[in-house]
Amino acid sequence: MRWGSQLLSSCWVLLSLSLGACSSTPQATSPPQPEAASALSPEDQALVAFAKVYGYVRWFYPGDEAFEADWWTRFAVEGAGRMLQVHDTQQLRPALEAAFAPLAHNLKFYADGEPHPFTPLPSDTGGLQVVAWQHYGAGLGEIDRLYKSLRLNREAAVKDPGAGMITQFVDAKPYRGMRIQLRGALRVQQKQADDTRGHLYLNVMANRRSIQLLKMEEHPVRRPDWQVYEIEATVADEAERIVFGVFMRGAGSLGADDLELRVAPAGSDQWRRVTIPNAGFEQDARTIAGWTQGSRAHRFWLDTQEPHAGKQSLAITPLALPQGPLFAEHAMPGDVLDLRLADTLHAFMPLALYSDARSTLPRLATAPYQPPALPANFQSYGDERVRIAAAVVAWNAFQHFYPYFDVVQTDWNAELPKLLAAARQAADAEAMQRVLQRLVHAAHDGHGRVTLGGAPKQPYGELPLAIGWIEGRAVVTQTLVPQNVQVGDVIVKIDGVATEALARDEDALLSGSPQWRRLWAGRLGGGDPAVAKRLDIERGSRHLQVELKPERRTPMPDQPRAHVEQLRPDIWYVDLRTTPMDEIRAHLDTLAAAKGVIFDLRGYPKDNHEILRHLLREPEQTQWMFVPKITRPDRDWPAGFDGMGWNLQPAQPHIGGRVAFLTDERAISYAESVMGYVEGLKLGEIVGSPTAGTNGNIRQFGLPGGLGLAFTGMRVLKHDGTQLHGIGVLPTVAVMPTIVGIREGRDEVLEVALRGLVPAAPR
């Protein structure tokens, strides 16, 4: 076979292979160029260059040698170590070539004045296939329930999907010293011989760690017929939380039904049930109501085929791997990336290659490189290389997959050298978490967060208070210690530091819209539960000092209002935060006959968005969610987006009276999906304040060293096509709580809606 020019000679060959869209000319992707690279030290230039090339190679280089190297974390750590040995600019190119040549031998580095590199392409492409990356949203090279990545004409990259787990938890305090038992009916359908195992799961916890963990490891469920199993633990005196549920491992499926949690006094068999929601999985829901799904690599659904009891049971199975292209568009041989890395140094990389039956072409002439063995603790954040590696992966995930840089206007390239410098100075995991939190802050993503793996090194608790920023002051809105701190108290200082200053420090570690950050900046005064905090308080004209110890778990008391309540003879109230759809259905005829209905969505819905159908008069097919179809790096997305919506149909009975929705910054994500319909289709007045301004499925993944990172992986717009991100759904009747109203125990937002001061919007 003869190797030809860089240009693709003809398009019809690829069309005959049904491999998707193609172009008659090569496309060179030129990302934003670095500013004043010479202002950085040689080490810093090397780290910045390595970071950028790492992202290009990991998620966009099509060659088999990169894909088959299943050691990206080790490579990031080892590569960071190489770059730290670069002490002058002449060493940069050899260091990069030594690091990347084994992973991407078609990646070339060249200097100004040198001949432009090229990747030789076969002149005869008969029988060859195109290999190129496709990412459906933030796939990050993997597969989950929505976001996916694959290389054309290669099997999807999926590791062992791990445990498909679904759980709930209860407060352990009422059951301390008692026996606790989890019972349930399980069955397993095997896909491969003796491969799939089912388990009950019972975890008694304190201070975020397991005291007693039972999960049927020695005797997992393998039978295909329904059988009832049980596991039992003792609730320790220090226990704070009991987590329970089921999980599976393997390629088949697990069925679960009729779960029961029960307790008995020590030494007694007098069992009594602990009430848990949706124990028999009988609630129809978009999600499995009441349960937390603990895997992105599994499907959880309600199975109506031969349940153990009732009309349906829970089923869990690993996600099926995608077959064929994720979408039509993809890079073509001849499409290249040409990037300036430093003052005179460039990188040149193909985005698509041809492949024969053996491998991508041209083939690697030497054996694939393996990184040197690293110490057993090579993922400790005490190691500078590990901190750099975590920063490199985090920055690249946003750089190539975050869909909102067009509206947040952050110079992400400028963030990279600052991030790397801060990572080098971080002393431990907690310090590295703060470094990455500041990075995520710059992305302005309310879903953005950085989590520590495992239990924190030091005990941690929070004040037994809920604090809101009202009229610019830190006001207590709920309290578990009313004898010391009352609702309506203004907290002026904590340990001598003004709460405004504490909130500013906290804000720098938070991401999202101003209203969302303001909500979370109210979590002040956390720390060691053994050390009391001194609070300076204003209570009317009085100035007080009290001491409170943070508590490891501070559940706020439930709001006293009923789920569904008649406020006046012709006005009804529905709390969408606490009321499942099954309970709402029982009241639909009453709501439809009412002159007015107030829906409370100052928080997260209870999987009850079906209520929107009872407000519609005609079907809707608005597309407001958009998943990017990614074929090129640096958010150069010529393939565009895949649009979708809920496509709701009207349902009877129709709620035709006047309608108001209460909302505020606590309404985020799914809540904003609901409020988007209210705003876009004018389904009622919106009373309160703007929602959080963050919506779209979250992408979570692990970083070198064990920290976890999350961000929004799709773009969500308002129903009229305008921006939602960072703005939120805006009220038609703006109402903010006041300090006086909080002190008096009034719900001022509800009061305004109830009075009906503004006529309802026509529907």
Side-chain angles (χ1 to χ4, degrees):
M1 183 174 291
R2 294 180 293 110
W3 298 105
S5 69
Q6 177 70 20
L7 293 177
L8 179 63
S9 58
S10 64
C11 198
W12 67 268
V13 174
L14 295 175
L15 290 174
S16 69
L17 294 173
S18 300
L19 291 174
C22 60
S23 170
S24 60
T25 58
Q27 300 293 317
T29 299
S30 297
Q33 304 303 309
E35 294 184 9
S38 58
L40 301 174
S41 70
E43 273 185 16
D44 291 335
Q45 283 192 53
L47 290 172
V48 168
F50 173 79
K52 292 186 175 183
V53 178
Y54 176 93
Y56 296 132
V57 173
R58 178 169 181 176
W59 289 310
F60 295 96
Y61 179 73
D64 290 336
E65 64 271 33
F67 184 76
E68 292 170 357
D70 187 22
W71 36 261
W72 283 109
T73 292
R74 292 178 62 195
F75 174 72
V77 173
E78 196 261 344
R82 284 179 180 268
M83 299 306 115
L84 291 174
Q85 302 305 312
V86 174
H87 302 304
D88 65 63
T89 55
Q90 299 303 311
Q91 295 175 321
L92 174 56
R93 179 174 176 176
L96 291 170
E97 289 174 336
F100 285 100
L103 274 177
H105 75 285
N106 290 301
L107 167 69
K108 308 295 183 184
F109 298 95
Y110 70 99
D112 287 346
E114 293 182 358
H116 201 281
F118 71 97
T119 300
L121 301 178
S123 57
D124 180 5
T125 58
L128 300 182
Q129 295 179 317
V130 170
V131 179
W133 276 102
Q134 290 184 317
H135 304 279
Y136 186 76
L140 297 173
E142 300 174 352
I143 305 292
D144 75 2
R145 287 192 288 272
L146 176 64
Y147 305 129
K148 300 172 175 62
S149 295
L150 60 73
R151 290 185 306 151
L152 288 175
N153 297 300
R154 291 295 187 270
E155 291 185 2
V158 174
K159 303 174 184 177
D160 178 357
M165 177 178 287
I166 192 165
T167 59
Q168 291 190 35
F169 71 88
V170 295
D171 186 359
K173 294 184 182 69
Y175 312 115
R176 287 174 174 172
M178 303 181 74
R179 301 168 64 190
I180 188 162
Q181 190 179 89
L182 176 65
R183 307 177 78 244
L186 302 180
R187 67 178 177 185
V188 163
Q189 301 296 321
Q190 301 288 348
K191 186 174 182 180
Q192 300 171 3
D194 203 33
D195 166 71
T196 303
R197 293 90 68 200
H199 306 255
L200 292 171
Y201 178 87
L202 184 61
N203 189 3
V204 182
M205 304 182 69
N207 196 26
R208 304 183 190 180
R209 62 181 178 85
S210 297
I211 300 174
Q212 189 173 8
L213 174 60
L214 301 174
K215 49 185 180 177
M216 300 177 64
E217 288 286 16
E218 294 183 0
H219 303 286
V221 178
R222 299 181 186 272
R223 296 182 54 151
D225 56 326
W226 288 111
Q227 296 287 326
V228 176
Y229 302 87
E230 62 184 43
I231 52 178
E232 182 180 324
T234 300
V235 184
D237 290 341
E238 69 271 26
E240 298 171 350
R241 175 178 290 195
I242 301 166
V243 182
F244 60 94
V246 299
F247 71 94
M248 66 157 292
R249 294 185 185 274
S253 65
L254 170 67
D257 207 353
D258 297 326
L259 294 187
E260 179 184 351
L261 192 67
R262 59 183 191 171
V263 294
S268 168
D269 290 327
Q270 299 299 311
W271 296 99
R272 63 179 176 87
R273 286 193 177 191
V274 176
T275 301
I276 58 175
N278 200 17
F281 305 101
E282 294 300 314
Q283 293 183 22
D284 292 316
R286 179 180 58 92
T287 58
I288 312 299
W291 296 87
T292 298
Q293 301 173 21
S295 169
R296 295 183 295 105
H298 290 79
R299 179 188 173 212
F300 301 80
W301 83 101
L302 298 174
D303 186 1
T304 59
Q305 300 298 314
E306 299 181 357
H308 180 259
K311 63 181 181 179
Q312 58 198 18
S313 60
L314 170 70
I316 309 173
T317 192
L319 291 173
L321 300 185
Q323 301 295 319
L326 298 177
F327 42 84
E329 301 86 354
H330 59 80
M332 297 293 295
D335 290 349
V336 298
L337 172 75
D338 198 346
L339 167 72
R340 179 184 291 275
L341 294 175
D343 287 342
T344 62
L345 183 63
H346 304 253
F348 177 91
M349 188 185 84
L351 296 174
L353 292 170
Y354 283 112
S355 173
D356 61 14
R358 288 176 53 196
S359 68
T360 49
L361 303 172
R363 266 186 273 278
L364 180 65
T366 60
Y369 169 78
Q370 292 295 326
L374 296 173
N377 65 342
F378 81 95
Q379 289 213 57
S380 165
Y381 286 119
D383 188 326
E384 181 180 12
R385 300 170 303 165
V386 178
R387 300 194 300 271
I388 293 170
V392 166
V393 176
W395 182 87
N396 273 289
F398 278 91
Q399 169 69 5
H400 302 298
F401 298 100
Y402 182 55
Y404 285 115
F405 279 126
D406 61 325
V407 296
V408 301
Q409 301 297 316
T410 295
D411 185 347
W412 202 245
N413 277 285
E415 295 294 324
L416 180 56
K418 295 187 293 184
L419 168 68
L420 293 169
R424 296 184 66 183
Q425 298 300 316
D428 52 27
E430 286 83 357
M432 190 63 204
Q433 181 187 31
R434 291 191 292 273
V435 167
L436 292 173
Q437 284 173 328
R438 291 186 177 93
L439 175 75
V440 176
H441 172 89
H444 303 285
D445 181 12
H447 285 148
R449 61 181 180 270
V450 184
T451 54
L452 277 170
K457 290 183 178 179
Q458 301 296 329
Y460 183 84
E462 295 180 357
L463 294 177
L465 311 169
I467 302 171
W469 284 97
I470 299 171
E471 300 180 42
R473 310 199 74 190
V475 180
V476 176
T477 58
Q478 290 177 271
T479 178
L480 295 178
V481 286
Q483 69 278 15
N484 296 318
V485 181
Q486 299 178 6
V487 170
D489 285 351
V490 176
I491 302 178
V492 180
K493 295 180 181 179
I494 299 177
D495 287 341
V497 181
T499 49
E500 291 85 354
L502 293 172
R504 283 194 299 271
D505 292 342
E506 186 71 16
D507 182 79
L509 304 177
L510 299 171
S511 194
S513 65
Q515 62 267 28
W516 177 249
R517 300 199 312 271
R518 182 175 63 244
L519 172 67
W520 285 94
R523 299 180 66 176
L524 304 174
D528 187 343
V531 180
K533 299 285 185 177
R534 187 180 75 254
L535 277 60
D536 287 79
I537 290 174
E538 288 182 6
R539 183 176 297 160
S541 60
R542 300 171 60 195
H543 295 265
L544 310 172
Q545 272 196 355
V546 300
E547 288 193 349
L548 289 180
K549 288 184 178 180
E551 297 184 5
R552 288 176 177 168
R553 188 162 178 264
T554 56
M556 288 296 117
D558 293 334
Q559 298 295 329
R561 193 171 299 284
H563 291 180
V564 180
E565 180 181 355
Q566 188 175 16
L567 300 180
R568 291 181 181 173
D570 53 355
I571 302 292
W572 283 77
Y573 168 90
V574 180
D575 191 342
L576 294 177
R577 303 165 298 179
T578 59
T579 315
M581 194 63 211
D582 283 350
E583 186 175 343
I584 296 175
R585 287 193 191 99
H587 297 274
L588 280 174
D589 288 338
T590 300
L591 299 178
K595 292 184 178 179
V597 181
I598 297 172
F599 293 102
D600 196 338
L601 198 43
R602 291 174 288 183
Y604 209 76
K606 193 74 170 179
D607 203 32
N608 46 28
H609 69 278
E610 182 187 326
I611 193 64
L612 295 170
R613 299 179 58 204
H614 297 275
L615 299 172
L616 295 179
R617 293 191 179 277
E618 58 186 24
E620 66 81 30
Q621 294 183 325
T622 306
Q623 292 187 349
W624 46 276
M625 298 179 285
F626 299 89
V627 179
K629 298 185 291 184
I630 301 171
T631 61
R632 300 174 183 272
D634 298 305
R635 302 178 310 283
D636 175 17
W637 297 337
F641 293 80
D642 185 20
M644 63 192 77
W646 283 350
N647 299 328
L648 298 180
Q649 299 288 321
Q652 294 297 324
H654 177 72
I655 300 173
R658 297 171 64 184
V659 171
F661 280 79
L662 315 183
T663 197
D664 60 19
E665 65 274 8
R666 290 171 289 181
I668 188 172
S669 198
Y670 173 35
E672 292 185 287
S673 297
V674 175
M675 292 306 304
Y677 275 89
V678 178
E679 178 187 52
L681 303 183
K682 296 181 172 54
L683 300 180
E685 293 291 349
I686 301 173
V687 183
S689 53
T691 60
T694 296
N695 199 1
N697 286 40
I698 300 172
R699 181 62 164 98
Q700 304 179 66
F701 62 100
L703 298 173
L707 287 172
L709 184 65
F711 65 94
T712 307
M714 69 160 66
R715 182 178 295 175
V716 175
L717 301 176
K718 296 191 176 188
H719 283 230
D720 63 1
T722 59
Q723 178 182 341
L724 172 76
H725 190 81
I727 297 174
V729 174
L730 303 180
T732 57
V733 182
V735 185
M736 295 290 287
T738 65
I739 296 176
V740 170
I742 294 294
R743 286 175 180 161
E744 295 176 352
R746 295 163 48 207
D747 186 339
E748 295 163 284
V749 178
L750 177 60
E751 289 174 2
V752 170
L754 188 58
R755 288 197 301 266
L757 296 179
V758 178
R763 294 188 289 109

